[in-house]
């Protein structure tokens, strides 16, 4: 209980301090990220009825990006990340270009972030991740960033189709590979330096 109280007190004290705007030059980020996806799956049973179930998956991992702070507001850089879902043994591994805008409204310091790139895991596909959040001051050139958003990650999967070949028989045939996307709710916590 004491640890929880100490963490809450530190977060409240950090929230009361205004973050300094980033200065022109090199800027880097290291972030812990978590993504949550909930999806309905449907399938045909042997008695030719449609059944479905909902599956929730949780991905967690890290990302890093490095680039150039153009002015106190705009940052452009490149990065990579890795998130793993232990339940399904799936990965999201994006390589991305990042654009970020840090705002300053009095003591309020929100930010907006957009990552565009390619998911190199699971056969590859498009990766898009917009995030909004808040930057807390943590020293002269360092900040703590807390953000929420969404991520869209593409992947490639083998596709099969089934058909009834008789009153009591069912045949499954391989059709080929198809590209799909998954949408995730994303939470990020990290530092910039």
């Amino acid at each position: 209980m004491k640890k929880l109280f100490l963490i809450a007190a530190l977060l409240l004290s950090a929230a009361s301090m205004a973050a300094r705007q980033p200065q022109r030059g090199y800027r880097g980020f290291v972030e812990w990220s978590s993504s949550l996806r909930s999806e309905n799956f449907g399938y045909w049973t042997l008695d030719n009825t449609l059944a479905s179930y909902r599956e929730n998956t949780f991905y967690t991992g890290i990302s890093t990006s490095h680039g150039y702070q153009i002015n106190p507001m705009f940052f452009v850089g490149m990065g990579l990340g890795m998130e793993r879902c232990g339940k399904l043994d799936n990965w999201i591994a994006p390589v991305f270009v990042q654009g970020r805008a840090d705002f300053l409204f009095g003591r309020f310091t929100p930010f907006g972030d957009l990552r565009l790139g390619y998911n190199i895991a699971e056969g590859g596909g498009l990766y898009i991740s917009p995030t909004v959040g808040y930057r807390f001051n943590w020293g002269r050139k360092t900040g703590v960033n807390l953000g929420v958003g969404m991520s869209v990650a593409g992947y490639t999967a083998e596709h099969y189709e089934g058909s009834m070949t008789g009153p009591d028989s069912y045949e499954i045939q391989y059709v080929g590979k198809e590209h799909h996307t998954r949408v995730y709710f994303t939470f990020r916590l990290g530092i910039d330096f």
Side-chain angles (χ1 to χ4, degrees):
M1 186 67 175
K2 288 181 182 181
K3 288 182 184 179
L4 184 61
F5 177 74
L6 180 61
I7 291 171
L10 286 173
L11 285 175
L12 287 174
S13 67
S16 65
M17 297 184 294
R20 291 182 182 91
Q21 284 293 88
Q23 299 302 311
R24 186 176 177 171
Y26 167 80
R27 188 173 181 197
F29 296 86
V30 176
E31 297 176 313
W32 167 73
S33 57
S34 290
S35 298
L36 174 67
R37 185 181 110 246
S38 183
E39 187 173 358
N40 278 331
F41 290 94
Y43 60 94
W44 291 100
T45 62
L46 292 177
D47 62 350
N48 210 21
T49 60
L50 181 64
S52 66
Y53 65 96
R54 177 169 287 285
E55 184 169 58
N56 298 317
T57 54
F58 180 74
Y59 291 72
T60 188
I62 61 169
S63 66
T64 184
S65 57
H66 305 271
Y68 190 75
Q69 188 72 35
I70 298 168
N71 59 33
M73 187 175 187
F74 295 110
F75 165 83
V76 176
M78 294 183 69
L80 57 98
M82 293 195 89
E83 291 185 39
R84 181 178 183 271
C85 174
K87 182 178 183 179
L88 302 176
D89 196 28
N90 284 349
W91 290 85
I92 304 170
V95 175
F96 55 86
V97 174
Q98 179 180 5
R100 177 178 163 128
D102 289 278
F103 303 99
L104 181 62
F105 300 109
R107 296 176 67 86
F108 187 61
T109 54
F111 69 85
D113 179 285
L114 179 62
R115 299 174 181 198
L116 299 171
Y118 188 77
N119 177 25
I120 60 175
E122 295 190 72
L126 179 69
Y127 178 78
I128 302 171
S129 184
T131 306
V132 295
Y134 192 81
R135 181 175 184 264
F136 300 94
N137 187 32
W138 192 29
R140 208 178 99 189
K141 290 187 174 184
T142 307
V144 175
N145 299 284
L146 180 64
V148 295
M150 66 173 251
S151 296
V152 177
Y155 68 97
T156 303
E158 294 183 349
H159 183 66
Y160 296 87
E161 287 184 356
S163 61
M164 297 295 286
T165 57
D168 294 331
S169 62
Y170 193 77
E171 185 177 291
I172 297 175
Q173 294 178 338
Y174 176 73
V175 177
K177 293 187 177 186
E178 287 189 354
H179 294 283
H180 302 277
T181 57
R182 294 182 182 129
V183 179
Y184 307 87
F185 171 76
T186 302
F187 170 81
R188 291 192 179 103
L189 174 66
I191 61 169
D192 65 82
F193 47 90

